[in-house]
Amino acid sequence: MGAGQGGAVLPRSAMAASLRALLRPVVAAAARHRAFLPPPPRPLLGARACSTGAPFQFLSVQKTGARQSVGLIRLNRPQALNALCQGLMEELRRALEDLETDPQVGAIVITGSQKAFAAGADIKEMQNKTFQECYSTGFLTGWDKVSTVRKPIIAAVNGYALGGGCELAMMCDIIYAGEKAQFGQPEILLGTIPGAGGSQRLTRAVGKSLAMEMILTGDRISAAEAKEAGLVSKVFPVEKLLDEAIACAEKIASNSKLVAAMAKESVNAAFETTLAEGTRTEKRLFYATFTTDDRKEGMMAFVEKRKAKFTDS
């Protein structure tokens, strides 16, 4: 029993009915909110949660593959189409550092949802920044962490990869795209330009003419157009994209992790330096493989017509 107005005592059934009436709008609002959220990502066969210290708010991180040799990072900010806020990028940096030092992981896959890989940077977060603040704090400088990881990284892109999302994908070593993916650098429509490598990496990937067109107009290109231009290596049906990216990552991880890092460094030298300097880098790294047990095992396995058993894979 409880006290009502003027000290009158209400039956418990009446109090319960009143409480339900008060809560009904709240429950209905919560139901409407849930209805607009995307379904949770499907679990992957053989996947195992990856312990990386403090819990993540904007990511899910796990190890997957038959030998748990692939680190899978899923951007998880669905209400904002995975817009890249400062918190998300800090978590991504931390997740990459943990996977980089995990001896079991030989390759990494970064993906988003079927609707959006990442629809861009968080405009609300940056709209009030000043030149002094951007310059003095090195705004967006930390985003380059993706491009400095030694282990190979595959971007599995479904849906929108726009602005910062396109830049994030281009920081990865391989881009696989779902057939409905869209790529673009629409910063010009917001009165600014790409700030995390978009004008540089896009030009190197697709050439000056298409990069100029995309950056000066803000127009997007489809997955098929991105493949034709050389921005992505393969296009798959939406529902098969992630499995194909993980399969590629598993194949990479089955090789020597040390030599894979050397190969990645050598290819990046072609992307970032002159031909002469890149050739010198390649030769230096080629010679360096002759100091490794994995090179000895690989060549011996070839001569003996058997599968190589690398020590670190």
Side-chain angles (χ1 to χ4, degrees):
M1 303 289 285
Q5 291 182 346
V9 178
L10 296 175
R12 288 186 178 178
S13 59
M15 290 181 64
S18 299
L19 183 60
R20 285 195 297 270
L22 288 171
L23 291 177
R24 193 172 294 117
V26 178
V27 174
R32 288 194 299 271
H33 176 69
R34 286 194 301 270
F36 283 102
L37 291 178
R42 61 179 179 82
L44 296 165
L45 293 177
R48 181 181 302 167
C50 183
S51 176
T52 53
F56 295 110
Q57 179 181 358
F58 304 115
L59 305 176
S60 65
V61 183
Q62 61 193 77
K63 291 192 287 190
T64 189
R67 301 176 63 185
Q68 300 292 295
S69 60
V70 177
L72 175 62
I73 300 175
R74 193 189 299 265
L75 310 184
N76 187 29
R77 200 182 174 210
Q79 295 90 341
L81 295 178
N82 292 332
L84 305 176
C85 62
Q86 183 176 348
L88 187 153
M89 294 306 293
E90 172 58 29
E91 290 185 359
L92 181 59
R93 180 198 62 77
R94 180 159 55 91
L96 288 169
E97 287 178 351
D98 289 340
L99 292 172
E100 177 87 295
T101 58
D102 189 327
Q104 190 177 14
V105 172
I108 299 167
V109 174
I110 299 178
T111 192
S113 66
Q114 289 193 359
K115 188 172 184 179
F117 176 74
D122 192 322
I123 304 304
K124 293 180 180 179
E125 193 174 74
M126 69 171 67
Q127 65 176 339
N128 295 320
K129 288 186 179 293
T130 64
F131 165 77
Q132 290 86 347
E133 183 181 356
C134 291
Y135 189 81
S136 62
T137 62
F139 182 50
L140 300 185
T141 301
W143 286 31
D144 289 337
K145 173 62 182 176
V146 180
S147 63
T148 63
V149 173
R150 288 191 169 187
K151 292 180 179 178
I153 303 178
I154 301 173
V157 178
N158 266 322
Y160 302 119
L162 306 177
C166 187
E167 290 172 313
L168 174 60
M170 291 190 292
M171 291 179 201
C172 299
D173 304 303
I174 299 170
I175 303 178
Y176 277 8
E179 53 194 7
K180 295 183 180 180
Q182 296 182 43
F183 298 85
Q185 298 289 162
E187 290 86 353
I188 194 78
L189 305 178
L190 304 178
T192 186
I193 68 172
S199 64
Q200 305 304 299
R201 291 189 176 92
L202 185 63
T203 304
R204 285 167 169 78
V206 305
K208 178 183 176 182
S209 181
L210 181 56
M212 279 287 192
E213 180 182 7
M214 292 174 65
I215 290 172
L216 294 178
T217 65
D219 288 348
R220 307 170 187 176
I221 59 174
S222 67
E225 291 169 325
K227 184 179 185 303
E228 182 180 0
L231 181 60
V232 308
S233 57
K234 291 182 180 178
V235 177
F236 298 99
V238 170
E239 66 278 4
K240 292 184 178 180
L241 171 68
L242 185 55
D243 291 337
E244 294 289 348
I246 291 172
C248 179
E250 282 192 281
K251 189 172 185 178
I252 293 171
S254 69
N255 296 316
S256 165
K257 296 179 178 64
L258 175 61
V259 177
M262 291 179 174
K264 172 174 175 172
E265 182 180 348
S266 185
V267 174
N268 280 335
F271 192 69
E272 297 169 355
T273 65
T274 64
L275 175 61
E277 181 59 33
T279 301
R280 283 193 291 270
T281 298
E282 178 190 70
K283 200 76 72 185
R284 173 178 58 82
L285 292 167
F286 170 66
Y287 293 157
T289 65
F290 281 76
T291 68
T292 68
D293 292 335
D294 285 338
R295 194 278 312 167
K296 296 175 184 177
E297 165 61 15
M299 291 189 176
M300 185 178 297
F302 177 83
V303 171
E304 296 175 354
K305 294 180 171 47
R306 61 175 174 82
K307 182 176 175 60
K309 298 178 181 179
F310 297 119
T311 57
D312 64 347
S313 59

